[in-house]
Amino acid sequence: MASPRLGTFCCPTRDAATQLALGFQPRAFHALCLGSGALRLALGLLQLRPGRRPAGPGIASASPATSARVPASVRIVRAATACDLLGCLGIAVRSAVWLGFPSFVDDISAVNNTDVWPAVFCVGSALWIQLLYSACFWWWFCYAVDAYLVIQRSAGQSTILLYHLMTWGLAALLSVEGALMLYYPSMARCERGLEHAIPHYITTYLPLLLVLVGNPILFRKTVTAVASLLKGRQGIYTENERRMGAMIKTRFFKIMLVFIVCWFSNVINESLLFYLEMQPDINSSSLKQVRNAAKTTWFMMGILNPAQGFLLSLAFYGWTGCRLTLPGPSKEIQWDSMTTSATEGAPPSPGGPQEPGEGPAPKKELPGGTHTSDEALSLLSEGSGGSTIEIHIASGSRGGKAPDSLPKVQGTP
């Protein structure tokens, strides 16, 4: 469970709202966090098993020269998955220590304690969890940015370096700044009130709020650009192209649904705890329902936060990402690319059949080329299984020669 309250818990004295959350069935809560974190780690290892289909557009069918260049979107998803797994590892280790060494944990809240290791572990584990989940949020924001840039043909292999700098730089900056504001000049400062803790809470939730607010806007712009790109290929919107756009839209919807399900309880819980902190007496009978809601959402966070990575894998791959056996033969749906459709559907020349020496009439192409738009759509539809499609671009579609076979959309039956 990722919450700024984990950092506040390291203070010798805590505010009443933090004590209410952390003091409510602590062993049951940490057992729940340990179980959900361990389950996420096990499922993550299951997804990384040998023989699983690689995640990426056209990797299964691309040539060795093409597969050597992994698209930025695939790298982003891999980096976000790694951050999520390492964050779950931090949750599992912290909860295991809380359950296995209660005397060690009790020394954290001891005033004037000479043993610094309990406080070091508390602060270190809280920073570990915050840093990795913040980086995970920044990576998913970069995924939305990259999806929009790809469809606008403004992304390239060099942009992944900018994503790395932005993700790790901002995540480290915000995490360290929030910790310094909370603990500087000493951990005893935590007892001075709520004002100094607010920057710590802001730096924790800023990346999450950016994903919840900014990603839907970028996804909507991307879906609109995809529809315009598909319509502009032939001037019409075919059924297969409409289906492709619907699949891309469904993927973006699933991603945002996972974030809302897994993290909105954090926003609700933090709002309730802040409301309780501003009350003169949080134990009054009039606030009983608020206290119960805060405790309920606190436990929900322990379950839903570690489940984010697994649910996102379902959004990308469906249940095929969890099968212990390889998926069966896939069905192929014919999809008309612009090059093939223009060749087959072009009306006959008014001058009659062409002479053998004459080449085919030049085709009107969009700026950037047909192959570029095919690659852009392929990047947005990477993955496998029931939730996504994979476009296979025929090698002959680059030039004026018609391809030997139509590009295919591959999916799992």
Side-chain angles (χ1 to χ4, degrees), residues 237-266:
Y237 204 21
T238 65
E239 179 62 30
N240 286 332
E241 289 172 340
R242 185 178 292 105
R243 186 187 309 172
M244 184 193 309
M247 285 183 172
I248 295 174
K249 185 177 181 180
T250 301
R251 160 176 287 190
F252 291 161
F253 172 78
K254 289 180 179 179
I255 292 175
M256 292 312 307
L257 181 62
V258 168
F259 274 104
I260 292 174
V261 169
C262 292
W263 295 102
F264 201 67
S265 58
N266 294 55

Side-chain angles (χ1 to χ4, degrees), residues 43-115:
L43 292 174
L45 295 177
L46 179 64
Q47 292 170 334
L48 295 176
R49 71 189 184 278
R52 185 180 179 276
R53 271 187 80 180
I59 292 180
S61 61
S63 62
T66 304
S67 60
R69 296 180 57 193
V70 181
S73 60
V74 179
R75 298 185 182 184
I76 291 172
V77 173
R78 290 175 180 174
T81 303
C83 291
D84 180 80
L85 285 173
L86 292 175
C88 285
L89 178 63
I91 292 175
V93 170
R94 183 184 174 99
S95 299
V97 171
W98 249 249
L99 292 173
F101 305 94
S103 59
F104 180 83
V105 176
D106 292 338
D107 291 338
I108 296 176
S109 57
V111 182
N112 298 325
N113 184 27
T114 57
D115 189 6

Side-chain angles (χ1 to χ4, degrees), residues 276-326:
L276 290 174
E277 287 179 5
M278 292 184 292
Q279 305 304 314
D281 181 17
I282 69 171
N283 295 317
S284 63
S285 58
S286 60
L287 297 175
K288 181 179 179 180
Q289 298 298 329
V290 180
R291 293 195 302 271
N292 291 337
K295 295 175 182 177
T296 302
T297 52
W298 181 255
F299 268 72
M300 290 174 60
M301 291 161 56
I303 300 174
L304 296 176
N305 289 178
Q308 169 199 254
F310 174 68
L311 295 179
L312 283 173
S313 70
L314 294 183
F316 272 82
Y317 308 110
W319 290 104
T320 58
C322 307
R323 292 178 184 171
L324 293 175
T325 58
L326 291 177

